[in-house]
Amino acid sequence: MAGLELLSDQGFRIDGRRVHELRKIQCRLGVFSQADGSAYIEQGNTKVLAAIRGSKQKTLHDKVLVNCQYSMATFSTGERKRRPRGDRKSQEMTMHLRQTFDAAILTNLYPRSQIDIFVEVLQSDGGNYCASVNAATLALIDAGIPLKDYVCACSASFVNDSPIVDINYLEESSGKPEIIVATLPKSEQIVFLEMNSRLHEDNLSKVVDTAVKGCKDVYQILDTAVRDHVSQVATVHGWEN
Amino acid sequence: MYFVCFFLKDNCREDGRGCEDYRHMEIETNVVSNTSGSARVRLANTDILVGVKAELGAPAPEKPDKGRLEFFVDCSANATPEFEGRGGEELATEISGMLNRAYDCPACLDLQKLCVIPNQQCWVLYIDILLLECGGNLFDAASIAVKAALYNTKIPTVTVSRDEGIMELEISDDPYDVQKIEVKLAPCIVTLSKIGHSHVVDASQKEESCCLARLMMGVTQNGTITALKKEGSGSLDPTSVEDMIEVGTGKRVGEALNKSLTTALEEEERQGTKSKTLGFLR
């Protein structure tokens, strides 16, 4: 597209951010009362809801079975989606989410049980996987399920010789390389890594480092939100300091 | 169940409401920004999100000069784990069928305004309903959300020009050059549940599980009934059906509901951009 530069000469992206800036993140825990845990996150224009339920439908004998479902609302994308779930892309996302959380939840604490993670994307503007992972982490914390660490996800790309962090839909569909990383922030261990398009191997470590740094920033925001929520709940319930 | 029936005789329900009272309802429009119109309704525990997308398409062959409405209901697994995968399809078909019937009446919406080129192009409104949490009385909440979303819908203006026999459509890019739909006469569904010998409006989940039969009717602001459906395993006496509709609660509650919904929507529109859209962050 002529005239649509992903990165201007002054260092501004299409939506006015700098290369290292994340989109505005707003989140809330405990959105629904009937689910065991729930959370809502807004990353820029991407809005995702996550709900957690415990059940005993299909079980393993030595660890908990993590069951995920990723679903997008039909009005979430620019062009209306015909089916909210069941297509290839949703099934792939479901599998990725399951793998990610299988690695993060302390699965051996709950044998013969099942944890259901349901993610619903209300508005999609790029970074669906990242917002889903962040929302599911918050929901798991709201449900009180023990995790090894927060799981934070962030995406990054490489434009005009500089890595950019947290890409939106326009930047995703421009054909530039896209790296999605989910990490356990404290130990800096990578739980999930995916790359699209073409990227020269000399630039790989730079872009992955940018994404990991983005995850750390996301972790700061999520941690503040969790602490705020817990202190609010504690005040309401009258717990002693 | 006995407890519920016993106190109903004295017009007292489990949570202290009267037989015709609705629970606390919150409505917010313009929640999803890449739709033509959206609304979110929270009726106690029931949470429903509706998005309306307007697209150009071919009109229905039997109504060539009118626009179309397409309803689609998606029961999210957030509500109950039974809705995972294809579990919620039965409920979804029921709700979309009822809404289709309720809006089928020609007096409700002026679909002629949605026509662009007769026989060839018209605006098709894809109304997508997302069930996020089930707390009883889904049909009412869904119809209220649909009406609120249609009120919020902005359709871009189209200019039709004829160029050597080929029609050309130009859709305006201006976000303020839009037309809104007149939803004053759009119906709202009122569900009356028969518990014992009395009937109640807006049943909670507990009341729904102990009701014998339900009567759902689509009622407009001036009392016209556009659709009627009886559900449930119990049977209803014809006189009690008449009672529910004409003499008793149905019409009255429907009219009152429509009026208060219109007032609330107009109030929200008046506040305009001053109030921030909070969506789920509240």
Side-chain angles (χ1 to χ4, degrees):
Chain A
M1 275 192 262
L4 197 68
E5 287 179 338
L6 289 176
L7 189 62
S8 75
D9 295 327
Q10 290 89 26
F12 289 109
R13 291 150 73 173
I14 301 180
D15 46 9
R17 286 185 285 157
R18 294 262 181 202
V19 291
H20 54 268
E21 282 176 8
L22 297 172
R23 291 177 286 184
K24 180 172 184 192
I25 297 182
Q26 287 175 297
C27 50
R28 181 147 174 262
L29 284 91
V31 182
F32 297 133
S33 46
Q34 284 180 350
D36 294 321
S38 55
Y40 170 75
I41 194 168
E42 268 184 36
Q43 250 179 281
N45 279 334
T46 303
K47 300 180 177 152
V48 177
L49 268 174
I52 309 285
R53 286 199 188 241
S55 62
K56 271 181 159 307
Q57 279 175 357
K58 283 177 280 186
T59 57
L60 298 168
H61 65 102
D62 59 343
K63 54 183 193 159
V64 79
L65 179 70
V66 178
N67 174 37
C68 283
Q69 187 188 270
Y70 172 86
S71 152
M72 294 181 74
T74 40
F75 46 76
S76 58
T77 46
E79 291 280 323
R80 181 175 179 262
K81 267 192 81 136
R82 304 232 62 199
R83 288 174 74 191
R85 51 188 163 275
D87 54 323
R88 285 269 170 85
K89 192 123 196 296
S90 306
Q91 284 181 342
E92 196 192 347
M93 280 286 216
T94 306
M95 211 177 53
H96 289 159
L97 284 171
R98 192 181 42 236
Q99 284 170 351
T100 311
F101 285 101
D102 230 344
I105 300 178
L106 294 169
T107 47
N108 48 344
L109 286 182
Y110 300 111
R112 295 182 296 281
S113 315
Q114 180 180 325
I115 296 179
D116 291 327
I117 304 178
F118 299 127
V119 172
E120 186 81 37
V121 176
L122 303 178
Q123 202 174 302
S124 159
D125 183 35
N128 287 347
Y129 173 81
C130 305
S132 308
V133 164
N134 296 334
T137 303
L138 288 175
L140 283 167
I141 294 174
D142 186 47
I145 294 180
L147 299 169
K148 288 186 189 132
D149 192 358
Y150 283 66
V151 187
C152 300
C154 193
S155 54
S157 182
F158 194 72
V159 172
N160 290 0
D161 293 333
S162 34
I164 54 176
V165 81
D166 197 11
I167 50 185
N168 61 20
Y169 182 71
L170 277 170
E171 290 163 345
E172 254 178 30
S173 43
S174 64
K176 299 286 181 187
E178 177 194 350
I179 291 205
I180 305 178
V181 161
T183 62
L184 305 176
K186 285 212 193 88
S187 48
E188 290 192 31
Q189 301 228 345
I190 295 181
V191 184
F192 177 83
L193 176 67
E194 183 187 61
M195 195 194 95
N196 294 327
S197 194
R198 257 183 354 181
L199 180 68
H200 198 283
E201 59 177 298
D202 289 345
N203 301 321
L204 180 64
S205 59
K206 256 193 294 182
V207 183
V208 172
D209 282 341
T210 316
V212 171
K213 168 94 189 5
C215 290
K216 269 230 170 84
D217 294 335
V218 170
Y219 165 67
Q220 295 293 338
I221 301 174
L222 295 186
D223 196 36
T224 324
V226 168
R227 282 173 203 275
D228 281 341
H229 173 81
V230 170
S231 68
Q232 257 185 11
V233 171
T235 328
V236 165
H237 286 247
W239 294 339
E240 303 288 342
N241 245 1
Chain B
M1 178 180 166
Y2 178 67
F3 175 81
V4 176
C5 298
F6 183 71
F7 280 94
L8 271 176
K9 285 200 209 110
D10 297 320
N11 200 25
C12 169
R13 286 157 79 171
E14 193 196 19
D15 46 4
R17 288 183 284 157
C19 284
E20 295 184 15
D21 293 334
Y22 270 86
R23 290 169 290 176
H24 177 72
M25 199 185 317
E26 289 175 10
I27 307 176
E28 197 175 353
T29 53
N30 222 5
V31 201
V32 181
S33 43
N34 61 356
T35 51
S36 311
S38 60
R40 180 184 170 224
V41 166
R42 212 176 155 73
L43 178 63
N45 263 352
T46 305
D47 204 331
I48 302 200
L49 179 61
V50 171
V52 178
K53 272 193 178 289
E55 283 177 20
L56 285 171
E62 65 267 12
K63 295 184 197 163
D65 58 342
K66 294 200 171 145
R68 267 191 300 148
L69 294 175
E70 296 260 348
F71 289 94
F72 176 72
V73 178
D74 180 22
C75 297
S76 159
N78 287 12
T80 339
E82 282 118 35
F83 289 163
E84 189 182 349
R86 305 187 74 142
E89 284 200 5
E90 241 185 64
L91 180 61
T93 342
E94 264 183 46
I95 299 181
S96 57
M98 182 69 193
L99 282 167
N100 255 320
R101 271 205 299 280
Y103 276 83
D104 208 8
C105 164
C108 301
L109 292 177
D110 189 8
L111 292 176
Q112 213 126 13
K113 267 207 197 150
L114 297 177
C115 177
V116 177
I117 306 174
N119 277 316
Q120 284 174 38
Q121 292 277 316
C122 70
W123 283 110
V124 184
L125 294 179
Y126 289 102
I127 305 176
D128 300 311
I129 300 154
L130 184 58
L131 240 61
L132 291 168
E133 211 181 352
C134 293
N137 208 17
L138 295 169
F139 287 81
D140 292 22
S143 70
I144 294 171
V146 167
K147 185 166 177 177
L150 284 173
Y151 182 88
N152 181 239
T153 305
K154 300 186 171 65
I155 303 181
T157 331
V158 185
T159 16
V160 184
S161 52
R162 189 177 270 270
D163 191 10
E164 290 169 2
I166 306 172
M167 300 278 222
E168 285 206 0
L169 296 170
E170 205 184 299
I171 304 179
S172 162
D173 266 339
D174 189 357
Y176 293 103
D177 186 16
V178 290
Q179 47 167 320
K180 296 196 64 154
I181 311 175
E182 181 64 51
V183 283
K184 258 228 146 85
L185 290 178
C188 272
I189 298 181
V190 176
T191 308
L192 290 170
S193 317
K194 190 170 164 74
I195 305 178
H197 290 291
S198 21
H199 34 260
V200 295
V201 165
D202 190 18
S204 64
Q205 260 183 323
K206 269 197 204 167
E207 290 167 343
E208 265 184 6
S209 55
C210 60
C211 84
L212 296 164
R214 290 186 292 173
L215 190 67
M216 293 182 272
M217 55 189 94
V219 190
T220 62
Q221 188 153 329
N222 48 10
T224 324
I225 297 187
T226 57
L228 202 58
K229 184 176 179 202
K230 181 239 166 237
E231 247 202 352
S233 52
S235 46
L236 290 171
D237 199 54
T239 37
S240 62
V241 172
E242 253 188 59
D243 219 23
M244 284 195 213
I245 305 174
E246 298 285 326
V247 178
T249 29
K251 265 199 193 170
R252 225 185 323 135
V253 172
E255 287 176 25
L257 176 63
N258 271 298
K259 285 209 180 78
S260 26
L261 176 61
T262 323
T263 328
L265 289 173
E266 282 169 1
E267 168 74 36
E268 195 195 7
E269 201 189 352
R270 232 179 330 120
Q271 285 182 357
T273 46
K274 267 189 280 169
S275 56
K276 265 180 32 159
T277 307
L278 290 166
F280 291 87
L281 288 170
R282 263 200 73 211

